[in-house]
Amino acid sequence: MHKFESRTVEKSRALRGEIMVPGDKSISHRAIMFASLAKGESRVRGLLRGEDCLSTLKAFQSMGIEVVESGTDELIIQGRGLDGLQEPADLIDCGNSGTTMRLMSGILAAQPFFSVLTGDQYLRQRPMGRVIKPLAAMGAKILGRAGNSKAPLAIDGGGLKPTEYRSPVASAQVKSALLLAGMQIEGTTIVYEPHLSRDHSERMLRYFGAEIESFAGGARVTGPVSLTGREVEVPGDISSAAFFLVAGLIVPDSELLLKNVGVNPTRSGIIDILQQMGGSIELLNRRELSGEPVADLLVKSSDLHGIEIGGELVPRAIDEFPVVSVAAAFADGVTTIRDAKELRVKETDRIAAICATLGKLGARIEPREEGMRITGGLPLCGGTVSSYGDHRIAMSMAVAALQTTAAVKIEDSGCTATSFPGFWELLIAIQG
Ligand code: S3P
């Protein structure tokens, strides 16, 4: 449980420095999962030690996986293969992490034992039918609260057959849950999605030796796959970098170099959005780390203008809309966000939370069923806002506060530990 602390952030002078953001959350979850399911030892460097990923780590430890720390930033995971997990003796607590719960549902649906997944008050409200239904169509026996739609989920694993599933939502968690079930059983499982969602599962499974194919409308795996322990370097999280990209753009005379950030095209929508808004962001030193593209990002303060955002750009920036909205509030003109209904079922209803928080600071922002309309360029005032227990709302408010006319107090700010331990310290460090 987070400490219900609060933080006050004041208007900042120019931001300067070279910074590293913590490891990518999505990639860290997958590194723990696939290293555990691989045969032999994996060494993972740069893993995010946020609460979400620690939930995944504890889940595998509770199923008999041995994990040791080595040196300052390396975790050694002794994988036991697809059939090496043991039945957990207790509930698996996924905390606040939707990725843990949905991906574990797919993994555990194919394991020959009983398991129960639960989570915090927010996660227990989030829709799980989107993975339960297609997994049930593969023969999975999963029972959940609220007519099989919410956690806790009880899973009586085993007895699956492959499927071909057309997902109504572009969701990497849904896609991954099915691929992770399908990869453990005989036959070919195919998942189609309306727009390409993040492809970290496909990339990392390939990196661990699985035959898995990505194509324009989805992905296909033929199981059972054989995964072999590897060395994994986790890049910095572009979703965490996003807060500093927007901070660097909106605070005058700023220049920040964000080193070693993952720029996978299924995740880099935030760079496209901010560049389209007139932001100066350069990608330097492009390279590849463990199958993932990486770059250093140089951001300089810029005059931003409003744009229209929708379509395939939405899943490519799905976690960044809280901070995109902050950029829009400081941009000249109108920004319209469409096709973003998924924001309603994130850690909180983010359309409601963004409108409430930014609105309280004086922004002109109107909710839409599937997005928002923001008229930017008006000065934002100080005040007290709640994070609604959502890490990305807390950090977005901190970024906005760097340019408000008076201080902003952010209540329930401890939730930043979900994805970004050290956020507040880094925010102070770049203010010189
Ligand atoms: C994630 C997928 C996305 C994203 C979440 C992490 C993942 O969720 O919002 O923060 O690691 O697969 P959806 O699959 O629900 O879009």
Side-chain angles (χ1 to χ4, degrees):
M1 217 43 198
H2 311 120
K3 287 178 261 109
F4 287 98
E5 61 192 42
S6 63
R7 295 270 179 167
T8 299
V9 180
E10 295 184 8
K11 190 176 173 96
S12 174
R13 43 177 198 271
L15 306 175
R16 299 269 159 170
E18 226 181 79
I19 60 173
M20 296 265 281
V21 294
D24 186 281
K25 182 154 78 67
S26 291
I27 296 175
S28 296
H29 281 297
R30 286 154 173 89
I32 298 163
M33 291 175 180
F34 304 161
S36 300
L37 295 170
K39 287 209 173 99
E41 179 173 296
S42 287
R43 288 173 176 260
V44 186
R45 280 185 290 280
L47 192 92
L48 171 65
R49 309 301 172 102
E51 288 174 1
D52 272 13
C53 298
L54 296 179
S55 296
T56 294
L57 193 62
K58 281 189 212 131
F60 280 94
Q61 286 174 313
S62 79
M63 292 187 283
I65 297 297
E66 259 180 57
V67 180
V68 290
E69 297 273 352
S70 136
T72 49
D73 192 26
E74 190 179 69
L75 216 58
I76 304 179
I77 300 177
Q78 301 296 342
R80 295 169 54 110
L82 292 183
D83 51 10
L85 297 182
Q86 295 160 8
E87 183 174 82
D90 203 344
L91 307 179
I92 292 179
D93 185 357
C94 304
N96 191 244
S97 175
T99 306
T100 309
M101 185 167 283
R102 297 203 179 103
L103 270 58
M104 293 299 295
S105 304
I107 292 173
L108 294 173
Q111 291 286 325
F113 53 68
F114 176 74
S115 54
V116 182
L117 298 172
T118 189
D120 71 8
Q121 53 168 322
Y122 304 101
L123 187 56
R124 280 183 276 114
Q125 288 304 324
R126 295 183 65 187
M128 293 299 145
R130 53 177 59 195
V131 289
I132 297 174
K133 275 191 207 135
L135 287 170
M138 296 175 79
K141 297 174 283 299
I142 307 181
L143 281 178
R145 224 161 46 78
N148 271 2
S149 70
K150 287 181 183 166
L153 308 179
I155 304 175
D156 178 13
L160 300 191
K161 53 185 188 320
T163 191
E164 205 168 298
Y165 182 62
R166 227 165 255 287
S167 175
V169 282
S171 160
Q173 293 178 355
V174 172
K175 175 175 64 176
S176 301
L178 295 179
L179 294 174
L180 297 184
M183 77 176 190
Q184 300 178 69
I185 57 171
E186 202 84 46
T188 301
T189 291
I190 310 178
V191 186
Y192 301 98
E193 49 183 355
H195 289 297
L196 185 60
S197 65
R198 64 191 66 190
D199 64 356
H200 303 303
S201 295
E202 295 90 306
R203 283 174 186 259
M204 198 181 292
L205 285 170
R206 266 197 293 276
Y207 184 73
F208 273 85
E211 276 194 33
I212 176 163
E213 193 192 322
S214 305
F215 53 90
R220 173 191 293 116
V221 67
T222 300
V225 298
S226 167
L227 308 177
T228 310
R230 296 286 316 254
E231 299 215 350
V232 182
E233 295 260 2
V234 180
D237 196 328
I238 190 165
S239 297
S240 297
F243 301 107
F244 291 94
L245 291 177
V246 173
L249 291 173
I250 65 172
V251 178
D253 299 320
S254 297
E255 182 169 322
L256 294 172
L257 182 65
L258 282 61
K259 300 205 66 165
N260 202 41
V261 180
V263 289
N264 179 319
T266 63
R267 294 286 300 286
S268 58
I270 181 67
I271 298 176
D272 297 351
I273 289 172
L274 295 174
Q275 285 175 336
Q276 283 174 31
M277 293 177 83
S280 166
I281 301 174
E282 279 177 70
L283 279 71
L284 310 171
N285 192 17
R286 282 172 177 267
R287 59 206 182 275
E288 190 157 299
L289 268 190
S290 314
E292 289 280 350
V294 172
D296 300 336
L297 306 180
L298 179 66
V299 57
K300 295 180 188 161
S301 16
S302 309
D303 291 330
L304 301 180
H305 55 81
I307 58 166
E308 299 218 341
I309 305 167
E312 57 84 40
L313 204 45
V314 173
R316 294 181 52 231
I318 192 64
D319 291 334
E320 281 62 80
F321 286 98
V323 81
V324 164
S325 308
V326 172
F330 288 100
D332 276 340
V334 174
T335 295
T336 314
I337 299 165
R338 295 202 178 87
D339 309 324
K341 197 167 154 203
E342 278 294 296
L343 296 180
R344 298 253 178 224
V345 291
K346 291 295 171 188
E347 283 80 334
T348 185
D349 174 343
R350 283 192 173 150
I351 294 178
I354 294 166
C355 290
T357 47
L358 272 179
K360 204 156 177 210
L361 301 182
R364 267 182 65 192
I365 177 162
E366 300 157 32
R368 298 279 155 87
E369 191 39 42
E370 305 201 351
M372 283 164 285
R373 184 176 192 276
I374 303 159
T375 307
L378 305 170
L380 297 195
C381 58
T384 299
V385 291
S386 170
S387 71
Y388 298 93
D390 183 330
H391 52 134
R392 300 202 205 281
I393 299 290
M395 293 186 274
S396 298
M397 286 306 107
V399 171
L402 299 172
Q403 274 306 287
T404 48
T405 54
V408 177
K409 182 175 173 193
I410 302 154
E411 289 180 331
D412 195 359
S413 58
C415 55
T416 53
T418 298
S419 65
F420 203 149
F423 170 78
W424 302 102
E425 292 75 11
L426 199 52
L427 193 67
I428 292 166
I430 55 170
Q431 296 182 43

